[in-house]
Amino acid sequence: PVVSSRNAPWQRLETENCGLWAELEPADFTAAMAYMMNLPDSERRQMGRNGRAWMLRDYSWSAIAQRAGAVYDWARGLAEKTGDIHFAEEDPES
């Protein structure tokens, strides 16, 4: 599992159940690390597996190539706009 600060774009650590996204304050980061170290080994191993599955699903070369292909298909008028297509004036969270 991972403990990352909220200064990094990894809020999905928690929704993917593979880590904690902590405030970058010494007390908060210390508490997050202590929490992780006190989890049973089996739970930490499962969180590690969850993280690996997430990375392979969303960030592997094949996943990136598939999303890039969908963007090109959209640009050529062959497909609908996907969630990976954002314009500067748009809020990607909406």
Side-chain angles (χ1 to χ4, degrees):
V2 173
V3 174
S4 176
S5 78
R6 291 184 184 253
N7 294 53
W10 296 109
Q11 61 269 32
R12 284 184 58 199
L13 286 170
E14 294 181 350
T15 59
E16 296 291 336
N17 192 29
C18 60
L20 295 174
W21 197 47
E23 293 296 334
L24 189 59
E25 295 294 328
D28 294 328
F29 213 75
T30 300
M33 292 296 292
Y35 174 82
M36 284 295 191
M37 290 188 298
N38 286 311
L39 288 175
D41 288 345
S42 60
E43 195 167 337
R44 283 196 305 268
R45 280 193 294 276
Q46 183 59 52
M47 291 176 86
R49 287 190 292 272
N50 294 346
R52 178 172 172 71
W54 171 35
M55 291 296 112
L56 290 173
R57 184 179 65 246
D58 290 359
Y59 298 103
S60 67
W61 284 114
S62 60
I64 293 167
Q66 187 174 35
R67 287 196 312 272
V71 170
Y72 284 115
D73 286 346
W74 168 79
R76 294 172 36 212
L78 302 175
E80 295 294 316
K81 181 179 170 188
T82 71
D84 293 312
I85 301 169
H86 304 284
F87 298 99
E89 63 276 0
E90 290 181 343
D91 178 5
E93 297 298 318
S94 61

